[in-house]
Amino acid sequence: MKLLKSSLLGTAAAFASVAGAHAADLPVKKAVPIEYVRVCSAYGAGFFYIPGTDTCIRLSGRARLDIGYQPTDSRSGGNGDTTGYIGLARINVDARTQTAYGTLRAFTRIQFASRTGSTGGLRSGTQERIGSAFGALGQDQFGRDQQFVNTDKAFIQFAGLTAGRASSFFDFYAHDFEFAGATLNSDVQSTNLLAYSTKFGEGFSATISLEDPTFRRNTIYSQTYVVGGNVAAAPSPIFVGPGGLGSNFQNFDVAQRNRMPDFVGVLRYDAAWGSAQISAAVKEVNVGNTIAGVTSVVTAPGFGGFSAVTERPSNEYGWAVQGGVKINTPFIAPGDTLYLQGAYGEGSTLYTGYSSYNGSYTSIASTINGAAFDPFMSDATLNPFTGKIELSTSFTVVGSFLHYWSPEWRSAVFGSYGELSFARGARAANAAAFQTTGATTQFTGVPGSVSFDVSPVLRDTYQIVAGASLIWSPVKDLDIGVEGFYTKVGVQNGRVVDRTQSSGTVNAANIASGAVRTVTADDTYQVRMRVQRDF
């Protein structure tokens, strides 16, 4: 028995020895070392190194719900909606690398949203016209639902250069304390640009920026707008000579072309008390080619004796200047801030911020759901009897104050005033030319008639906006708030037809009887609730 045990143990030992020898001869595959994500503290909280590189990256985003209410006095056409909703998502990526020339930065921001409600609610005609929002076609959704996709930011910063899609350098107070962005001030969050910035020391800096003109145009006025295939045309007539019993007018396409960038210059000062900025911009205003066909019409009364226009319209140059100051007021409460800003310009309504918060890039738009009349906001008009581009003038002033009642509760109050005026005689000249060519959709009479006197087309207007908000932040980066604001739009002189309260022909008899009502202004209010989480 002992001999058997000894034999078995010896055999097992021999097998173990042989197996061990073979195992020792086999190559051992070493485990790949784990490269842990390292925190990057050079650029603030939230950055970490991309594994295997010296580039720091930060991922962040936003989720938001807005619910809005705005009354309407009209249920005609597309009006009638009083509520609207916005669900918004934002994704930010910020990548930075330290180089011998300083920090190399690339930043991208993509936004997505679903927005409902009619034009006077929370939908944005601005985003539709610029190609960022796409409307629904359903029976109950047509004109009331948008899917919104926007490359909000995509820029590179290196050695003082900024190149890509970014906020316009012209802007200063850009609705910083507002939900809806209803006040009149320049706020182009996304444009294509190439800029160079430099610091002089002592808080002073300067920027020169070449910016895409596409996002700063509120049109040269045209009575009509025609889309055919992939081509859009906005015809405007010019008198080219007598013809038979009437006069011949040649249509020019006033849809502007991209021929040169907008030039923006900025001087800025930053200090412990706040900051101040002076901005200036120059932009080209141009027309396209002639549109085939000459229209023979009867010259309107009071417009005889004009010489034929034989040269194509010359380009004009719009301009704007803006000054603003931001004052920190911690002596009231920590975090309190006051903004004051004013702007003036010619042919540059979007630079002065004279616009509708939901209706830029158009000749006519309204912030009022079912408005009595809509204001005209073109950068210029084309004079049909001189062939010259005539620039509109506009100015705005705005103030906004943010106050912290406690670290969790804060409020903002804000208000703005603006005026827009067209060139003298532009309204009558365009009315005379357009009404005789049969394009009478918006013009309601010839110069000298009662209907012309009360027409809202190309009238000088003013706007008033005033509002306030209350926001609760129970935890960091979570805002739950409500905002309300009042908007008034009026004509600077005379009266205009109230299209929501009138019936019958616009004439003196119907105005006297009350069948046709006229107004000097229209107003509305909007209440908006917001829940927002940044991360």
Side-chain angles (χ1 to χ4, degrees):
M1 192 68 180
K2 289 182 179 180
L3 181 61
L4 178 60
K5 289 181 178 179
S6 298
S7 299
L8 291 174
L9 290 173
T11 303
F15 276 114
S17 176
V18 172
H22 284 288
D25 292 340
L26 293 175
V28 176
K29 186 176 181 181
K30 296 182 179 180
V32 177
I34 298 175
E35 185 171 354
Y36 294 96
V37 174
R38 294 180 295 139
V39 173
C40 176
S41 58
Y43 307 110
F47 282 90
F48 59 89
Y49 284 98
I50 299 175
T53 75
D54 58 355
T55 297
C56 298
I57 192 170
R58 183 177 187 270
L59 307 178
S60 60
R62 168 178 292 175
R64 173 196 291 171
L65 170 68
D66 278 11
I67 302 175
Y69 170 81
Q70 180 173 295
T72 176
D73 293 328
S74 171
R75 293 184 178 273
S76 62
N79 300 313
D81 295 287
T82 58
T83 58
Y85 305 83
I86 300 176
L88 179 140
R90 171 184 290 182
I91 301 172
N92 304 317
V93 181
D94 191 349
R96 306 188 193 189
T97 307
Q98 196 62 34
T99 74
Y101 299 92
T103 301
L104 169 61
R105 183 190 186 199
F107 182 84
T108 61
R109 173 181 292 165
I110 308 298
Q111 294 194 143
F112 311 88
S114 176
R115 303 191 283 203
T116 64
S118 66
T119 303
L122 301 191
R123 266 189 52 212
S124 175
T126 296
Q127 298 300 339
E128 280 186 323
R129 295 180 187 108
I130 215 66
S132 297
F134 307 91
L137 299 176
Q139 174 178 312
D140 297 318
Q141 293 76 27
F142 187 88
R144 294 176 173 84
D145 181 22
Q146 286 182 338
Q147 299 304 310
F148 170 73
V149 180
N150 183 33
T151 305
D152 184 64
K153 301 287 185 295
F155 62 81
I156 299 165
Q157 290 181 316
F158 176 67
L161 290 176
T162 301
R165 189 158 175 81
S167 298
S168 172
F169 278 92
F170 184 88
D171 297 347
F172 184 60
Y173 172 69
H175 301 115
D176 285 7
F177 301 151
E178 303 173 42
F179 290 3
T183 56
L184 300 174
N185 69 93
S186 180
D187 184 7
V188 175
Q189 298 181 24
S190 305
T191 188
N192 304 312
L193 56 81
L194 175 63
Y196 177 75
S197 302
T198 185
K199 295 181 179 180
F200 300 122
E202 302 297 328
F204 286 97
S205 62
T207 300
I208 297 176
S209 181
L210 306 182
E211 303 191 358
D212 191 336
T214 304
F215 303 96
R216 287 288 192 178
R217 288 174 175 158
N218 244 352
T219 79
I220 296 176
Y221 173 73
S222 173
Q223 174 70 31
T224 56
Y225 178 67
V226 180
V227 178
N230 293 323
V231 179
S236 187
I238 290 180
F239 175 66
V240 293
L245 299 177
S247 301
N248 284 331
F249 284 77
Q250 172 69 64
N251 279 322
F252 272 81
D253 181 9
V254 295
Q256 299 178 70
R257 273 57 172 177
N258 286 358
R259 297 194 176 118
M260 61 182 296
D262 289 3
F263 294 89
V264 173
V266 176
L267 180 63
R268 185 181 176 98
Y269 176 72
D270 293 285
W273 58 264
S275 55
Q277 178 172 305
I278 298 175
S279 308
V282 176
K283 55 171 290 192
E284 183 190 45
V285 183
N286 62 68
V287 301
N289 299 319
T290 59
I291 299 175
V294 175
T295 304
S296 181
V297 300
V298 178
T299 304
F303 283 90
F306 284 92
S307 300
V309 178
T310 58
E311 297 181 357
R312 65 170 290 114
S314 299
N315 298 345
E316 294 291 337
Y317 292 89
W319 58 273
V321 292
Q322 177 178 271
V325 61
K326 175 186 176 183
I327 304 172
N328 300 323
T329 57
F331 50 86
I332 300 176
D336 284 17
T337 307
L338 172 67
Y339 272 103
L340 297 173
Q341 179 177 283
Y344 177 87
E346 294 184 3
S348 54
T349 54
L350 285 179
Y351 275 106
T352 61
Y354 196 98
S355 180
S356 164
Y357 72 90
N358 61 355
S360 300
Y361 314 117
T362 184
S363 293
I364 176 174
S366 177
T367 63
I368 299 173
N369 191 10
F373 69 96
D374 289 329
F376 284 71
M377 297 182 295
S378 293
D379 283 337
T381 58
L382 181 61
N383 191 308
F385 300 104
T386 65
K388 294 183 178 180
I389 297 174
E390 298 178 330
L391 305 179
S392 62
T393 61
S394 57
F395 77 85
T396 59
V397 290
V398 61
S400 185
F401 178 65
L402 178 67
H403 173 63
Y404 279 82
W405 302 98
S406 71
E408 294 80 22
W409 290 90
R410 68 186 187 272
S411 291
V413 293
F414 49 86
S416 67
Y417 178 81
E419 292 185 2
L420 186 149
S421 303
F422 294 99
R424 178 171 298 186
R427 179 171 177 266
N430 278 272
F434 275 114
Q435 65 86 26
T436 53
T437 61
T440 58
T441 304
Q442 295 167 353
F443 279 106
T444 55
V446 298
S449 68
V450 172
S451 58
F452 173 78
D453 292 340
V454 296
S455 168
V457 179
L458 294 180
R459 296 290 289 269
D460 299 345
T461 58
Y462 68 87
Q463 286 193 40
I464 299 172
V465 178
S469 63
L470 178 63
I471 302 172
W472 177 44
S473 298
V475 298
K476 180 177 170 55
D477 296 326
L478 173 64
D479 290 343
I480 303 173
V482 62
E483 175 183 274
F485 61 91
Y486 167 84
T487 303
K488 183 176 183 179
V489 179
V491 291
Q492 295 186 35
N493 53 69
R495 302 180 68 86
V496 294
V497 172
D498 182 345
R499 64 183 182 183
T500 66
Q501 303 294 328
S502 300
S503 61
T505 304
V506 180
N507 54 41
N510 283 338
I511 292 175
S513 68
V516 173
R517 293 185 55 186
T518 61
V519 296
T520 59
D522 198 4
D523 58 6
T524 190
Y525 66 89
Q526 184 179 124
V527 178
R528 186 175 295 204
M529 188 197 79
R530 171 170 292 178
V531 180
Q532 177 174 295
R533 167 75 161 101
D534 289 302
F535 57 90

